[in-house]
Amino acid sequence: MSRGKKWLWRLFLLGFVALVTMGLWLPPIITHAVEKDYHFSEVEIDATVLPNGDMVLEETRTFDFQNGPFTYAYFNVDDPLDHVRDFSIAEKLDDGSEVALTPDYASHSIVTEGFQAQWSYQAEDERRTWVLRYRAACVVDVYTDTAHLYWQFIGSGWDVPTQHAVITVHLPDEQRLGFPARTKCKPDEAILPTEGTPLARGDVRAFGHGPLNGQVTFIDPQTIRYDVSDIPPLSYVEGSILFPTGTVPGALRTNEPGLRTILDQERVWAEEANALRERHETERSWV
């Protein structure tokens, strides 16, 4: 075969491979370009623990819509005991103002064994932000030696990714006023935050569970911030915080100690997370 024919043959093979490769890759690319989809570009959660063991949450979620239309959304809270109260929703506009919305429904659901809300809207290819506010009753466990908040701030029910999430938790002061301790949970009994004696450095211990790239930071002795990026679908972000029992004198109590058991469990989870990080680093070095 002459040199010219060889080059023509090679050019033909190159073109054939290119066409086959394009045929394999273009359908997924085209499908992705026109597929109806959304994700959360930003999630901000501000949570305030109250002296009776309740927690007030303000959750700001920015939806990034692609290839609409989109007409409704769900919001779920793991709430099997029906402890969610005072739910409201508003849309946050570009200028920072809010427009209150009336949800289609917002109540405890026996189907999801938790709280569920739905609201309607019209959205195309755009970003929209909603602010969801609610109170979760009786979320703090109080032992003889510590109070413990264990809460899944981002649940595993979201089947879309979150690019960035910031969760800030505010703990109450040591209370000066007396509060009658609860003997049973009464979700409809609300209480306002009160001032007392601020906590000191070392009074609080905080742990985070979820993606390994998350960071836990103390803004001050009783303000904890969780900062997490690239949260995959169906993943969760949990906070586990230990603090003095005097901050929540009105919470439900048990006569058993809990500090050692909780710290032992956190140690096990930390060792598992560190082992997983080490395995990822080993795999990355091999690659």
Side-chain angles (χ1 to χ4, degrees), residues 80-254:
L81 300 178
D82 190 16
H83 286 175
V84 170
R85 295 291 187 274
D86 309 329
F87 178 83
S88 67
I89 182 172
E91 182 168 6
K92 189 173 183 179
L93 306 181
D94 293 338
D95 61 2
S97 62
E98 295 183 8
V99 177
L101 303 177
T102 301
D104 301 330
Y105 62 84
S107 60
H108 183 264
S109 170
I110 60 174
V111 177
T112 62
E113 293 187 351
F115 175 86
Q116 184 178 79
Q118 176 186 302
W119 70 98
S120 299
Y121 55 88
Q122 295 291 330
E124 295 289 340
D125 294 359
E126 57 187 308
R127 286 188 178 184
R128 301 275 290 276
T129 300
W130 285 278
V131 183
L132 306 109
R133 297 180 174 94
Y134 60 98
R135 176 173 57 88
C138 310
V139 299
V140 177
D141 296 315
V142 181
Y143 302 92
T144 57
D145 51 2
T146 189
H148 185 214
L149 172 68
Y150 187 85
W151 187 258
Q152 195 169 89
F153 291 98
I154 296 180
S156 59
W158 296 108
D159 59 356
V160 296
T162 299
Q163 286 182 316
H164 184 223
V166 176
I167 302 159
T168 306
V169 183
H170 308 275
L171 300 176
D173 295 339
E174 288 268 10
Q175 298 302 301
R176 298 170 183 167
L177 301 176
F179 288 87
R182 287 175 165 176
T183 57
K184 65 178 181 178
C185 185
K186 298 180 180 179
D188 296 318
E189 290 184 356
I191 188 174
L192 296 176
T194 60
E195 293 185 0
T197 303
L199 300 181
R201 184 176 180 180
D203 286 344
V204 178
R205 307 185 196 191
F207 309 89
H209 310 141
L212 298 181
N213 62 0
Q215 295 182 344
V216 184
T217 306
F218 277 87
I219 305 303
D220 58 50
Q222 59 197 81
T223 305
I224 303 97
R225 179 163 294 167
Y226 298 88
D227 194 310
V228 193
S229 298
D230 302 321
I231 304 171
L234 305 176
S235 297
Y236 62 86
V237 177
E238 292 178 339
S240 175
I241 305 174
L242 297 164
F243 48 99
T245 60
T247 62
V248 284
L252 289 170
R253 293 174 173 265
T254 178

Side-chain angles (χ1 to χ4, degrees), residues 1-27:
M1 184 180 294
S2 66
R3 179 172 298 180
K5 289 183 178 181
K6 286 183 178 179
W7 276 107
L8 285 175
W9 176 245
R10 291 173 182 173
L11 184 62
F12 170 77
L13 286 178
L14 180 62
F16 177 77
V17 171
L19 288 173
V20 171
T21 303
M22 290 175 64
L24 292 174
W25 284 98
L26 277 179

